[in-house]
Amino acid sequence: MPLAQSKLTDYPWPDERGYFGAYGGRYIPETLLAPCAELAAAYARIRVDPDFQGELADHLRQFAGRPTPLYLAERLADRHGYPVYLKREDLLHTGAHKINNALGQILLAIRLGKTRIIAETGAGQHGVATATVCARFGLQCVVYMGVKDMERQAPNVGRMRLLGAEVRPVDSGTQTLKDATSEAIRDWVTNVRDTFYLIGSVVGPHPYPLMVRDFQRVIGLETRADLLRLKLRPSQLVACVGGGSNAIGFFHEFLADEVELIGIEAGGEGDDSPRHAAAITRGQPGVLHGSRSYILQDDDGQIVEAHSISAGLDYPGVGPEHSFMHDAGRVRYERVSDAEALAAASRLAKLEGIVPALESAHALAWLERLPRDRVNGAVIVCLSGRGDKDLQTYLKHV
């Protein structure tokens, strides 16, 4: 069936309490209930405000560099025997899709009169995007980052500091994104009067999963417009999933279409190893960082350490809307290993002259497992970021 104009007109999620079926909600300290309610009310207003949406669209175009192209990867297509297109979010200012959401949230923070911005980051892409928009609008910026991630993503730490942000090392726990997020929440509880917490993925208490999804929907909207212009029928849309912001923004516009949506988690060292970050396909429902979703936990409900060679995917949870999509069977979730992702990054570099982020390489790796007889149109992969930040890892392993 040919692709038509958008059919997504009656999608009801989240509900008024911020739930996607059994997932989402607000599992937060009492001191944050009022700020979250204030934020939800403010977002409900600007969501339908044409002045806000026009201002955001202008910044996305003039500052971030939208729209991004839908690129035919000809040599990759020759290898697989079906058309492969890349949604080039790696070409955006700051090098990843994170800038879409950072721009939306900082415009909201300014309207709320907040003067201080805090954020957490794993791979550094969200931290760089937050530091960038804070510099653009002249707001104080503090970014929490695990010590282990600071070592793996040293170039992005330097970029954040060059942009004027304070990067606060987190040396507790796993020294990665989970603990950076916990520290950011503690800061928010303490300084909620003047501070806006700019969350980078579709996680956290309501309304963050809704807001981040909406700000990332531009990826899917542009993809649909290009597919219509090119008269292409999509067969599969593929995106990596850590928290899941690029994937939900990419998929959402296509939920009502006859197209297969495939989210790829970080399988780490493989199915025989406990070292992975596959919260949906190897996790269980639970509560983490303010919402209910699939998470990695032990038999006592304690969070267990996630592992991925990609710092942007080693989070022990996933956005609640992804959990809902998994249970509903609308999105198919799979996992690929560290080794498969590294091989996919090397292939793309040599075949197309594009060095992808390690996160995006997980989505590209799925093409090796997608047989030709399952494809009846174009396969579209969301290239969520560029791989400059991962160069040290690539040089070590590839």
Side-chain angles (χ1 to χ4, degrees), residues 208-363:
Y208 281 103
L210 167 65
M211 286 199 306
V212 180
R213 179 195 78 192
D214 285 357
F215 291 138
Q216 294 294 359
R217 276 192 67 198
V218 66
I219 304 172
L221 288 165
E222 286 181 4
T223 301
R224 175 181 288 276
D226 276 342
L227 289 171
L228 288 170
R229 178 179 57 80
L230 296 169
K231 295 182 171 55
L232 285 172
R233 182 179 65 180
S235 178
Q236 279 90 7
L237 269 63
V238 189
C240 64
V241 176
S245 65
N246 90 95
I248 210 72
F250 188 40
F251 293 159
H252 212 267
E253 181 63 13
F254 296 88
L255 291 178
D257 292 290
E258 293 182 9
V259 57
E260 189 174 11
L261 308 176
I262 305 171
I264 305 299
E265 295 192 293
E269 295 181 355
D271 288 351
D272 295 332
S273 169
R275 287 171 52 77
H276 63 88
I280 295 180
T281 55
R282 297 183 69 180
Q284 299 291 330
V287 172
L288 176 64
H289 293 146
S291 65
R292 186 172 189 272
S293 191
Y294 276 87
I295 59 177
L296 300 179
Q297 56 188 319
D298 61 21
D299 292 340
D300 296 321
Q302 299 298 306
I303 302 300
V304 300
E305 182 177 356
H307 161 80
S308 170
I309 196 168
S310 167
L313 298 182
D314 65 353
Y315 182 66
V318 67
E321 193 167 9
H322 283 291
S323 297
F324 174 68
M325 292 293 169
H326 170 67
D327 285 5
R330 180 60 190 97
V331 179
R332 174 183 175 184
Y333 294 90
E334 299 285 352
R335 55 184 177 270
V336 303
S337 68
D338 292 345
E340 289 175 289
L342 286 167
S346 179
R347 257 190 316 274
L348 188 72
K350 290 171 181 171
L351 288 176
E352 298 290 343
I354 299 169
V355 179
L358 262 169
E359 292 85 351
S360 313
H362 284 71

Side-chain angles (χ1 to χ4, degrees), residues 36-340:
C36 278
E38 176 194 26
L39 182 60
Y43 182 64
R45 291 193 297 273
I46 63 99
R47 194 182 189 207
V48 294
D49 181 348
D51 290 338
F52 178 90
Q53 297 300 334
E55 183 181 5
L56 175 58
D58 187 58
H59 286 298
L60 288 172
R61 183 175 60 253
Q62 300 290 345
F63 187 68
R66 300 211 75 90
T68 60
L70 189 63
Y71 170 77
L72 173 60
E74 294 185 41
R75 297 186 67 201
L76 200 60
D78 288 344
R79 173 184 175 85
H80 293 292
Y82 46 75
V84 178
Y85 286 79
L86 307 177
K87 179 57 176 169
R88 296 291 307 275
E89 295 296 294
D90 60 311
L91 294 180
L92 285 169
H93 180 40
T94 72
H97 70 293
K98 296 293 188 183
I99 191 73
N100 304 327
N101 168 59
L103 275 168
Q105 287 199 47
I106 202 161
L107 292 178
L108 177 56
I110 291 169
R111 293 201 176 198
L112 289 172
K114 305 296 184 182
T115 57
R116 180 174 179 267
I117 304 297
I118 61 170
E120 82 299 322
T121 195
Q125 290 170 314
H126 173 57
V128 168
T130 302
T132 298
V133 297
C134 285
R136 168 67 182 79
F137 293 101
L139 297 182
Q140 181 186 359
C141 181
V142 176
V143 179
Y144 289 89
M145 191 170 189
V147 169
K148 181 178 176 182
D149 288 339
M150 290 179 70
E151 294 172 355
R152 289 194 291 183
Q153 306 291 335
N156 274 344
V157 175
R159 290 173 72 191
M160 285 184 273
R161 288 173 170 159
L162 184 63
L163 290 160
E166 177 190 351
V167 182
R168 292 190 180 175
V170 177
D171 59 7
S172 59
T174 61
Q175 303 181 345
T176 60
L177 180 58
K178 176 178 77 70
D179 300 288
T181 304
S182 298
E183 288 301 320
I185 291 174
R186 291 188 185 99
D187 184 318
W188 193 29
V189 170
T190 306
N191 302 291
V192 70
R193 185 179 299 275
D194 67 345
T195 297
F196 186 96
Y197 182 13
L198 205 159
I199 292 182
S201 194
V202 284
V203 299
H206 178 64
Y208 281 103
L210 167 65
M211 286 199 306
V212 180
R213 179 195 78 192
D214 285 357
F215 291 138
Q216 294 294 359
R217 276 192 67 198
V218 66
I219 304 172
L221 288 165
E222 286 181 4
T223 301
R224 175 181 288 276
D226 276 342
L227 289 171
L228 288 170
R229 178 179 57 80
L230 296 169
K231 295 182 171 55
L232 285 172
R233 182 179 65 180
S235 178
Q236 279 90 7
L237 269 63
V238 189
C240 64
V241 176
S245 65
N246 90 95
I248 210 72
F250 188 40
F251 293 159
H252 212 267
E253 181 63 13
F254 296 88
L255 291 178
D257 292 290
E258 293 182 9
V259 57
E260 189 174 11
L261 308 176
I262 305 171
I264 305 299
E265 295 192 293
E269 295 181 355
D271 288 351
D272 295 332
S273 169
R275 287 171 52 77
H276 63 88
I280 295 180
T281 55
R282 297 183 69 180
Q284 299 291 330
V287 172
L288 176 64
H289 293 146
S291 65
R292 186 172 189 272
S293 191
Y294 276 87
I295 59 177
L296 300 179
Q297 56 188 319
D298 61 21
D299 292 340
D300 296 321
Q302 299 298 306
I303 302 300
V304 300
E305 182 177 356
H307 161 80
S308 170
I309 196 168
S310 167
L313 298 182
D314 65 353
Y315 182 66
V318 67
E321 193 167 9
H322 283 291
S323 297
F324 174 68
M325 292 293 169
H326 170 67
D327 285 5
R330 180 60 190 97
V331 179
R332 174 183 175 184
Y333 294 90
E334 299 285 352
R335 55 184 177 270
V336 303
S337 68
D338 292 345
E340 289 175 289

